[in-house]
Amino acid sequence: MGYQRTMRAAAAALALCMGMVQGGAAHAEQLKDDEAMGFRSQIITGDDSEVTRRIAEDLYKRLLPTFAAFRTELAQRHRMLYVAIGPTALRDAVSRRCDCVVISAFTSSQVWRSLTAKLPPGRAARYTAVYAEPAPTDQLRLAALLYGRPARVGTILGPDTAFLRPALEAGVDVQLFAGGDDINHTLNRMTRAEVLLALPDGDVYNPENVRNILLSTYRRKQGVIGFSADMVKVGALATTYSEIEDINTQVAEIAAHFVATGELAPPQFPRYFRTVVNEGVARSLDLRVTNAAREFARLPARPRAGVPASSPEPSAAPQPDKP
């Protein structure tokens, strides 16, 4: 079966997509180590890969208009702003103990919370993030579009992702998973669910068991809403996902709002996203995918002439995601 053949690549692909949400072992380094953007902004990276360079170069261009106009008379107390790209860079920022503000990007909510949890309250208030994974509310909306109605959704939360439970809609079947649990037993408790909402948790989804999870749900005619486009390639039904430029736009908006007001937006899921659907899996699940599902997206507004893309309208200041 073609679907089963694609599972051979699942372990490798999941390792790739989990890399961004769990982080690697590379030593943190600064991009443009001695070059401050504008007056007080700097990008920190955790590796020198091609993807990281692409992220940093695009982000630099988006931040430059804001910090080139940075005025020393503004009332912000903390005048150094770091943008940490990925988990290793965030670890580096946490270790600096600087009087600064930190915006984290391309790190999962689970890892961000684990790295910032032990910060003193005063320092913790100066950290925010645009998480790497899709917003659960957007994923649930996508499931409803795919099924043409509110679908019966189940999800598995480990100890480090249990904090996401308030972000889920009422009626979602939440199964808790502790270290050492049998993933098959957990899946068996969700036989009424039509859809499994996968959230990035290394205790639940890892290269060793993802093939088993995707095959088990497939045999039960359960669709999987994945947490990355790579997961869809290897057998998940669909996901919302954000391009590099989508995340960077949101980071630039948060930075611009901070510079303009001195107020730092709370950590949030990606605001801008697109959708990818595995059409073969959809056919196997007897789903007729509509254009409304395929085109489900929220894209950044195109800037007006003379207005930088990273400068939002005054009424478009970053807002916290609803818990």
Side-chain angles (χ1 to χ4, degrees):
M1 182 182 294
Y3 174 83
Q4 291 178 321
R5 284 198 298 272
T6 66
M7 291 300 96
R8 297 173 184 173
L14 187 75
L16 175 65
C17 69
M18 286 295 287
M20 190 63 78
V21 299
Q22 290 185 305
H27 294 292
E29 62 182 57
Q30 291 180 192
L31 182 74
K32 304 180 182 297
D33 189 36
D34 296 319
E35 180 179 348
M37 299 189 317
F39 287 94
R40 295 285 194 173
S41 176
Q42 196 167 67
I43 297 173
I44 308 174
T45 64
D47 61 68
D48 196 34
S49 67
E50 182 179 349
V51 171
T52 300
R53 284 185 174 275
R54 178 187 161 196
I55 292 170
E57 289 170 4
D58 178 81
L59 185 57
Y60 182 95
K61 295 174 184 176
R62 295 175 188 276
L63 291 174
L64 191 57
T66 293
F67 287 92
F70 195 103
R71 301 198 309 273
T72 57
E73 66 268 22
L74 289 176
Q76 292 91 326
R77 175 186 173 191
H78 310 289
R79 297 183 178 278
M80 171 58 81
L81 185 145
Y82 289 117
V83 179
I85 300 175
T88 304
L90 179 57
R91 290 188 187 95
D92 178 46
V94 169
S95 70
R96 294 188 180 202
R97 298 183 177 277
C98 62
D99 185 22
C100 58
V101 166
V102 177
I103 303 175
S104 168
F106 302 96
T107 295
S108 73
S109 59
Q110 173 191 0
V111 174
W112 186 85
R113 283 174 59 92
S114 69
L115 291 176
T116 60
K118 296 182 180 180
L119 290 173
R123 270 191 79 196
R126 304 199 301 268
Y127 280 71
T128 192
V130 178
Y131 299 137
E133 77 268 28
T137 51
D138 293 329
Q139 298 283 65
L140 292 171
R141 174 62 179 150
L142 174 58
L145 288 171
L146 288 165
Y147 282 79
R149 53 177 170 75
R152 296 191 302 274
V153 179
T155 193
I156 303 173
L157 300 179
D160 292 335
T161 49
F163 72 93
L164 291 171
R165 190 166 189 167
L168 302 172
E169 295 176 359
V172 174
D173 180 6
V174 176
Q175 297 293 327
L176 300 180
F177 184 88
D181 286 356
D182 187 325
I183 189 65
N184 290 312
H185 292 167
T186 305
L187 291 170
N188 287 338
R189 294 198 296 267
M190 293 194 303
T191 54
R192 294 188 65 255
E194 298 170 290
V195 181
L196 172 64
L197 174 61
L199 301 172
D201 187 330
D203 290 332
V204 180
Y205 303 96
N206 56 65
E208 287 72 40
N209 68 14
V210 65
R211 179 178 183 273
N212 174 56
I213 292 172
L214 291 173
L215 283 174
S216 295
T217 52
Y218 181 76
R219 289 172 182 141
R220 294 188 179 98
K221 289 283 188 177
Q222 292 172 321
V224 176
I225 303 297
F227 50 79
S228 74
D230 285 324
M231 201 169 182
V232 175
K233 291 178 183 177
V234 299
L237 170 60
T239 189
T240 62
Y241 71 97
S242 299
E243 298 279 10
I244 286 171
E245 294 77 10
D246 298 331
I247 297 290
N248 283 352
T249 296
Q250 190 170 346
V251 170
E253 289 174 354
I254 291 173
H257 182 65
F258 171 72
V259 169
T261 68
E263 298 176 358
L264 188 64
Q268 52 203 250
F269 289 99
R271 181 180 301 117
Y272 308 117
F273 63 87
R274 300 113 198 279
T275 291
V276 60
V277 178
N278 189 319
E279 301 282 351
V281 171
R283 285 192 296 270
S284 298
L285 296 172
D286 299 320
L287 294 177
R288 298 183 63 181
V289 181
T290 63
N291 286 336
R294 293 188 184 96
E295 297 169 6
F296 181 47
R298 189 183 304 122
L299 303 180
R302 293 187 177 184
R304 302 191 309 271
V307 180
S310 59
S311 300
E313 297 287 337
S315 61
Q319 298 296 318
D321 285 84
K322 298 297 182 182

